[in-house]
């Protein structure tokens, strides 16, 4: 009864293949992968926001340096002109001119002081943003690393299981007639459901439909027997 043994082995092979398919599916659809992708996106978004904020902080620092520098020069100039005014010895017209000049410079100084103050306030806000974003980035990055480790571990376990099933498959395949393997592989490639079914009490194990006695006889006369309904290979 060599051919029947071969058919029974085909049923085993289908079970092993189905198991391998499930494991591959499980490997590709780990729930942690959804979290991992979301965390990856979040890390990128926070990283971009952090870099933009750091650039904004550098801009503010440059603006503060520039305005403070100008402020200092203007203060010195205002002070010097004021000293010249109080030193005396000027004509009334020149003194009047100088007084207006000093007032103008002092007005400028006041405006610049205000500007520097505003810039410093902005810097404080941006610094706080940067601190918050740095903390967020640390959280997201460590969450990503944690998920990565979990995924690698799950994959390692699944791969080990797949290796066991592949080994089992390599033991079964040589027991089966080559033509039968070709037919089986062809059927498997063409559809997702079962392509081999045990024939029990006239019921096809693949499509679960009943075969009448006449249909069963017709099926059994083919080599290998095939279900009249779903064309699955039948194992009597
Ligand atoms: Zn069937």
């Amino acid at each position: 009864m060599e051919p029947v043994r071969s058919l029974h082995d085909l049923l085993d092979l289908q079970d092993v293949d189905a198991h391998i398919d499930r494991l591959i599916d499980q490997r590709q659809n780990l729930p942690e992968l959804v979290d991992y992708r979301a965390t990856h996106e979040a890390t990128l978004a926070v990283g971009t926001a952090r870099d933009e904020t750091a650039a904004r902080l550098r801009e503010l620092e440059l603006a503060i340096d520039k305005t403070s520098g100008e402020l200092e020069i203007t203060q010195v100039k205002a002070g010097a002109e004021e000293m010249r005014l109080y030193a005396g010895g000027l004509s009334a017209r020149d003194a009047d001119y100088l007084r207006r000049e000093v007032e103008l410079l002092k007005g400028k100084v006041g405006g610049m002081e205000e500007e520097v103050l505003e810039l410093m306030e902005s810097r404080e806000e941006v610094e706080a943003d940067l601190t918050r974003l740095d903390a967020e980035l640390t959280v997201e990055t460590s969450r990503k690393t944690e998920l990565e480790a979990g995924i690698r571990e799950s994959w390692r376990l699944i791969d080990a299981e797949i290796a066991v099933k592949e080994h089992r498959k390599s033991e079964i395949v040589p027991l089966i007639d080559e033509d039968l393997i070709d037919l089986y592989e062809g059927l498997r490639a063409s559809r997702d459901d079962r392509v081999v079914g045990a024939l029990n009490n006239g019921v096809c194990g693949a499509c679960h439909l009943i075969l009448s006695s006449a249909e069963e006889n017709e099926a059994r006369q083919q080599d290998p027997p095939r279900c009249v309904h779903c064309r699955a290979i039948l194992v009597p």
Side-chain angles (χ1 to χ4, degrees):
M1 290 300 279
E2 182 63 30
V4 171
R5 181 61 243 159
S6 194
L7 280 174
H8 274 287
D9 292 325
L10 196 60
L11 215 47
D12 288 346
L13 178 61
Q14 176 174 251
D15 286 343
V16 173
D17 274 336
H19 202 140
I20 292 172
D21 284 350
R22 277 201 303 278
L23 288 168
I24 291 172
D25 186 67
Q26 203 184 326
R27 196 184 195 286
Q28 287 166 344
N29 296 296
L30 285 180
E32 297 96 309
L33 282 172
V34 177
D35 285 347
Y36 179 73
R37 279 181 213 113
T39 311
H40 178 66
E41 291 296 317
T43 308
L44 287 181
V46 175
T48 305
R50 191 235 164 258
D51 290 348
E52 282 169 4
T53 307
R56 172 96 187 97
L57 184 61
R58 275 194 302 278
E59 273 170 28
L60 279 170
E61 269 160 1
L62 284 176
I64 290 170
D65 279 354
K66 185 170 173 279
T67 313
S68 302
E70 285 167 5
L71 171 64
E72 213 182 303
I73 290 167
T74 314
Q75 269 171 333
V76 168
K77 199 174 168 193
E81 298 288 64
E82 205 170 19
M83 287 317 290
R84 250 180 78 203
L85 182 66
Y86 290 117
L90 294 169
S91 69
R93 193 164 160 256
D94 285 349
D96 205 40
Y97 174 80
L98 201 54
R99 196 171 294 115
R100 277 206 298 276
E101 174 75 8
V102 168
E103 263 168 40
L104 201 75
L105 287 169
K106 280 188 172 173
K108 262 192 184 177
V109 165
M112 281 176 183
E113 277 171 347
E114 219 166 282
E115 203 183 322
V116 169
L117 223 59
E118 275 169 22
L119 285 168
M120 285 168 122
E121 270 170 28
S122 298
R123 180 175 64 183
E124 228 169 89
E125 282 168 22
V126 173
E127 270 171 349
D129 283 349
L130 192 60
T131 305
R132 178 179 54 78
L133 287 166
D134 273 336
E136 258 178 60
L137 194 60
T138 305
V139 169
E140 292 295 345
T141 305
S142 71
R143 169 132 183 77
K144 196 176 142 182
T145 309
E146 208 175 284
L147 283 165
E148 226 170 61
I151 289 164
R152 276 183 206 289
E153 179 57 13
S154 298
W155 277 351
R156 195 184 63 76
L157 294 174
I158 293 170
D159 287 347
E161 228 179 308
I162 290 175
V164 169
K165 293 294 161 192
E166 289 287 359
H167 178 73
R168 175 79 191 109
K169 186 175 169 172
S170 73
E171 288 174 339
I172 303 172
V173 169
L175 305 174
I176 305 168
D177 193 71
E178 258 180 59
D179 291 345
L180 205 50
I181 290 277
D182 288 346
L183 176 65
Y184 164 78
E185 293 293 354
L187 284 170
R188 254 175 71 79
S190 68
R191 60 195 220 204
D192 286 336
D193 43 359
R194 294 171 69 84
V195 298
V196 188
L199 183 62
N200 274 326
N201 302 320
V203 176
C204 164
C207 67
H208 305 292
L209 292 176
I210 298 169
L211 283 78
S212 67
S213 306
E215 285 169 339
E216 198 178 323
N217 277 334
E218 188 194 322
R220 280 176 188 276
Q221 271 159 23
Q222 298 171 65
D223 182 28
R226 306 281 296 272
C227 171
V228 293
H229 306 299
C230 72
R231 302 302 295 148
I233 301 164
L234 287 175
V235 182

